[in-house]
Amino acid sequence: MADIAFDGPIAQAPITRSASDSTTFREAVGAMKPRSDWTKEEIATIYNVPLMRLAFAAVSPTVRRDPLLDLGHGLGGIVHRRFHDPSSIQMCTLLSIKTGGCSEDCSYCAQSSRYNTGLKASKMVTVDSVLAAARTAKENGSTRFCMGAAWRDMRGRKTNLRNVKEMVNGVRAMGMEVCVTLGMIDRAQADELKLAGLTAYNHNVDTSRDFYPSVITTRTYEERLETIKNVREAGINVCTGGILGLGERASDRIGLIYTVSTLPSHPESFPVNTLVPIKGTPLGDNKPVPFDAVLRTVATARIVLPHTIIRLAAGRTTLSEEQQMLCFMAGANAVFTGEKMLTTACNGWDEDKEVFEKWGLQPMPSFQRAELRERPEAQMADMVVV
């Protein structure tokens, strides 16, 4: 079973599951706390559970008489509800504070100077303009403000770092969470950002370790993990996830989740991006990733990373309203909202407000974190028995 990884819907032929597969899944959905000793085989077992069963196990009161989910005590895995408010969605707004001209060769990125994408490089924006954008975001309901700069690392950028710290301090003074993504940083730089009040640092690993060299050659996987280590040891929340639709296989989505789930501590947030193909980049003609792969990744991540906020990030505009709701039902609980992403389209505040009101969702308050909300015994009252 561990060697089977599907790129499309799990389909026609019945799948035979071993007792060990069922045990792995039951134990995963019944967990009371995160664990960092996952194996790829265990994550593959979870990923390859029939999709609707997987999604329900990730978030819903489960079917008591389903032998794959029955834990022996009549209770399945209400994973998302166990640690998170299922109606609460973190509203994040992302601003590019320095656009284009990046020396890296990330094959999906419009901001690389190596590709002719029509994007004009710009200098860093002013502190005042960033704080004005943050105020607008807060007025529209966002509780987390994120800033991104297109460069490889922070070496020799003392003035830029000083400006970023002023931005961070100003956003925190508004009562908002604040996140930055500035490429690779060392421990000293991470310490400075922590002192400035930074809530989280984003540094995606993008995909599996095996597939990564097919996407990027100018920055190693280990360099990404080293930045994440520096951030974590400085006491800043880690935000790290990946991109679906790079040409990867299901085994690489499993590998992505394996990487982040075996860090010394799980990331505070896990962005799930779907590729927005940019003409002029090597991946500009890639076909969209099938939605079932997105949903399967979200549900698997929810079970394997029970405390982590799972964010629908770039590419959400390609998902229908109903597809987004399926992702929320499977454990996603954060979005980017506002005028735009770094260089691509974003669902707007008004659109999200209308949709969320229709579906009974509400913005997550700032600085809310996962906790053990109810033990399984207390959740018995919500059990759906069929």
Side-chain angles (χ1 to χ4, degrees), residues 155-175:
R155 288 181 298 178
R157 302 184 186 276
K158 292 183 179 180
T159 300
N160 288 333
L161 181 58
R162 183 170 62 249
N163 289 338
V164 169
K165 290 191 295 181
E166 190 174 346
M167 295 170 187
V168 169
N169 188 267
V171 175
R172 277 300 296 268
M174 299 178 196

Side-chain angles (χ1 to χ4, degrees), residues 306-321:
H307 274 192
T308 298
I309 291 172
I310 298 176
R311 183 173 299 108
L312 299 183
R316 183 165 70 99
T317 54
T318 67
L319 301 180
S320 70
E321 177 181 325

Side-chain angles (χ1 to χ4, degrees), residues 57-371:
V59 73
S60 301
T62 56
V63 181
R64 187 174 184 176
R65 294 176 187 152
D66 186 332
L68 188 60
L69 295 177
D70 186 13
L71 297 181
H73 302 289
L75 185 69
I78 315 171
V79 180
H80 186 64
R81 294 167 185 263
R82 189 176 301 149
F83 297 100
H84 305 270
D85 179 350
S87 65
S88 185
I89 304 295
Q90 186 187 62
M91 308 290 283
C92 313
T93 293
L94 176 61
L95 177 71
S96 177
I97 60 173
K98 192 276 177 187
T99 303
C102 182
S103 63
E104 301 275 37
D105 70 350
C106 306
S107 55
Y108 50 81
C109 187
Q111 303 199 70
S112 172
S113 61
R114 298 165 184 255
Y115 312 131
N116 183 17
T117 64
L119 184 71
K120 185 178 180 180
S122 64
K123 295 181 179 180
M124 179 179 277
V125 300
T126 66
V127 173
D128 287 344
S129 67
V130 169
L131 298 184
R135 281 189 288 271
T136 298
K138 182 176 182 180
E139 290 166 1
N140 281 279
S142 294
T143 57
R144 186 167 181 147
F145 191 75
C146 309
M147 298 172 282
W151 53 50
R152 173 179 166 79
D153 55 39
M154 290 296 295
R155 288 181 298 178
R157 302 184 186 276
K158 292 183 179 180
T159 300
N160 288 333
L161 181 58
R162 183 170 62 249
N163 289 338
V164 169
K165 290 191 295 181
E166 190 174 346
M167 295 170 187
V168 169
N169 188 267
V171 175
R172 277 300 296 268
M174 299 178 196
M176 301 180 75
E177 297 184 29
V178 56
C179 177
V180 297
T181 179
L182 307 172
M184 293 185 289
I185 60 173
D186 59 31
R187 174 61 191 276
Q189 293 162 343
D191 287 338
E192 288 191 56
L193 290 168
K194 172 65 175 177
L195 289 173
L198 188 66
T199 308
Y201 192 95
N202 168 260
H203 201 65
N204 291 334
V205 294
D206 286 350
T207 187
S208 70
R209 183 185 292 272
D210 292 338
F211 189 66
Y212 181 86
S214 302
V215 182
I216 302 158
T217 66
T218 53
R219 184 187 314 186
T220 68
Y221 211 68
E222 287 302 325
E223 285 176 319
R224 289 185 181 266
L225 294 176
E226 181 66 21
T227 288
I228 290 170
K229 177 176 180 287
N230 292 334
V231 169
R232 182 179 62 249
E233 291 182 350
I236 300 170
N237 290 325
V238 171
C239 171
T240 186
I243 307 171
L244 310 185
L246 300 174
E248 79 284 352
R249 295 181 56 81
S251 57
D252 297 304
R253 299 173 204 130
I254 291 165
L256 165 66
I257 297 172
Y258 171 76
T259 293
V260 299
S261 68
T262 53
L263 294 171
S265 58
H266 287 180
E268 175 259 355
S269 53
F270 178 76
V272 178
N273 298 274
T274 55
L275 179 70
V276 179
I278 305 295
K279 292 296 182 182
T281 66
L283 301 184
D285 294 320
N286 273 30
K287 294 180 180 180
V289 64
F291 174 67
D292 66 286
V294 179
L295 186 62
R296 190 174 291 282
T297 300
V298 167
T300 303
R302 168 49 64 225
I303 291 172
V304 175
L305 306 167
H307 274 192
T308 298
I309 291 172
I310 298 176
R311 183 173 299 108
L312 299 183
R316 183 165 70 99
T317 54
T318 67
L319 301 180
S320 70
E321 177 181 325
E322 293 78 12
Q323 288 174 330
Q324 292 180 60
M325 293 307 119
L326 279 172
C327 288
F328 296 143
M329 291 176 182
N333 58 341
V335 296
F336 280 115
T337 183
E339 296 173 351
K340 66 183 299 184
M341 298 286 288
L342 292 175
T343 62
T344 59
C346 185
N347 302 70
W349 289 297
D350 291 341
E351 174 190 350
D352 281 336
K353 287 175 185 176
E354 181 180 347
V355 171
F356 288 6
E357 182 175 351
K358 180 194 302 186
W359 290 84
L361 302 173
Q362 59 191 14
M364 181 186 297
S366 293
F367 308 105
Q368 179 172 302
R369 294 292 175 265
E371 60 181 351

